[in-house]
Amino acid sequence: MKAITFVTQKGGSGKSTLCISLAVAAQEAGHTVCILEMDRQATISDWLDHRTADGPEVAQIDATQIDLVMERLAESSYDYVFIDTPGVDSNGTLSAIRAADLCIIPCRPTPADLRAFKPTLAAVYRLEKKFAFVLNQTPPRSYRIRDAADGLAVLGILPDVNIVSRTDHQDAIGVGQGVTEYNPKGQAAGEIRRLWSWIERRMQATKPRTRKDMVKETRKDAGKHVKAA
Ligand SMILES: Nc1ncnc2c1ncn2[C@@H]1O[C@H](COP(=O)(O)OP(=O)(O)O)[C@@H](O)[C@H]1O
Ligand SMILES: [Mg+2]
């Protein structure tokens, strides 16, 4: 069982939206997935209330429960546990980062979002966790993406796909689906599937990456983003 934590203190950057659609995409790729919801805003539980399809399972937990829940899940048959965190820095968020095999830090290409992830990143570094940024709600093409991608690529790993701002994301959540279920042939679905396969490859990389590897990969990823923007 591997744990993926969606974390950044900036509300509205897309933690819950990405958590849901990636969990569905992971299921479609043949994995068993469970979501732990730590946010009292309960975006994921609301989504589940509208859901008619099977899985993923969702459990609401608080900061005091996470260690025990993770211990139990370690013996379960789930392939992945996705942890959705609230948009505040708290003990719960720290425990969720500690529990993670990979932290996903969603970030819109705005100055406020680019500033807001710094405390999260500090915690991720302190706990020596693997992480990746995901540029979310981007315009289809803009110099802002290129600037943000360049900045983020310097700080860490950036996938080879951005998640563009598309109404499919909002509409899918409203009817209890992931984007790949809501509009399987749509561009939002395609981006989410590409992001999931990037994450899966990243999770499967067993050899710990050295700082030199990271710099090399970062340069390669940054190059792709510059070309795409
Ligand atoms: N890629 C996207 N395209 C369009 N809307 C998005 C996208 N990602 C998130 N949203 C919307 O942005 C809002 C905040 O997203 P949410 O996932 O709740 O953020 P967080 O969990 O980080 O607070 C929601 O209304 C959601 O529908
Ligand atoms: Mg949320």
Side-chain angles (χ1 to χ4, degrees), residues 107-110 114 135 143-154 158:
C107 186
R108 289 169 295 196
T110 65
L114 289 165
L135 268 178
Y143 69 91
R144 268 170 185 269
I145 312 176
R146 196 178 51 222
D147 288 354
D150 285 351
L152 293 178
V154 169
L158 199 61

Side-chain angles (χ1 to χ4, degrees), residues 10-18 41 43 84 136-137 163-167 169-170:
K10 188 76 188 155
S13 51
K15 294 179 286 295
S16 305
T17 304
L18 290 175
Q41 272 199 353
T43 309
D84 187 34
N136 186 35
Q137 301 185 52
I163 306 299
V164 173
S165 182
R166 301 187 193 279
T167 49
H169 287 281
Q170 295 153 13

Side-chain angles (χ1 to χ4, degrees), residues 38 63 66 89-96 98:
M38 296 185 74
I66 184 157
D89 226 3
S90 64
N91 285 343
T93 311
L94 269 187
S95 321
R98 197 174 293 114

Side-chain angles (χ1 to χ4, degrees), residues 8-223:
T8 179
Q9 31 172 299
K10 188 76 188 155
S13 51
K15 294 179 286 295
S16 305
T17 304
L18 290 175
C19 178
I20 287 170
S21 274
L22 287 169
V24 169
Q27 269 201 171
E28 288 174 347
H31 301 294
T32 49
V33 184
C34 150
I35 300 177
L36 300 181
E37 175 172 61
M38 296 185 74
D39 188 359
R40 294 222 177 102
Q41 272 199 353
T43 309
I44 305 216
S45 300
D46 286 349
W47 169 77
L48 194 67
D49 286 345
H50 293 93
R51 185 158 178 78
T52 49
D54 284 341
E57 275 189 50
V58 177
Q60 265 188 309
I61 62 161
D62 65 35
T64 62
Q65 295 169 304
I66 184 157
D67 292 339
L68 187 62
V69 169
M70 289 306 293
E71 237 174 75
R72 299 220 170 122
L73 284 173
E75 288 152 27
S76 73
S77 59
Y78 289 113
D79 299 321
Y80 289 99
V81 175
F82 285 18
I83 308 174
D84 187 34
T85 65
V88 286
D89 226 3
S90 64
N91 285 343
T93 311
L94 269 187
S95 321
I97 295 173
R98 197 174 293 114
D101 294 289
L102 177 72
C103 292
I104 298 284
I105 306 176
C107 186
R108 289 169 295 196
T110 65
D113 268 37
L114 289 165
R115 271 196 298 271
F117 67 70
K118 284 180 186 157
T120 306
L121 192 59
V124 166
Y125 274 139
R126 205 165 51 243
L127 294 168
E128 298 183 350
K129 291 296 172 179
K130 260 195 203 178
F131 68 96
F133 294 105
V134 171
L135 268 178
N136 186 35
Q137 301 185 52
T138 67
R141 266 165 194 278
S142 144
Y143 69 91
R144 268 170 185 269
I145 312 176
R146 196 178 51 222
D147 288 354
D150 285 351
L152 293 178
V154 169
L155 287 170
I157 292 298
L158 199 61
D160 56 7
V161 56
N162 298 323
I163 306 299
V164 173
S165 182
R166 301 187 193 279
T167 49
D168 274 4
H169 287 281
Q170 295 153 13
D171 296 340
I173 303 288
V175 295
Q177 294 184 326
V179 277
T180 51
E181 295 169 317
Y182 180 76
N183 182 6
K185 296 195 172 143
Q187 287 176 299
E191 286 160 7
I192 286 290
R193 277 191 215 101
R194 266 178 68 196
L195 179 58
W196 172 248
S197 46
W198 185 91
I199 290 172
E200 219 179 347
R201 285 199 306 277
R202 187 62 84 211
M203 305 280 304
Q204 281 163 359
T206 45
K207 184 169 116 338
R209 283 173 304 110
T210 61
R211 216 174 167 75
K212 219 164 131 193
D213 289 339
M214 272 181 68
V215 169
K216 231 189 322 180
E217 286 174 32
T218 300
R219 288 214 178 109
K220 217 167 95 197
D221 285 341

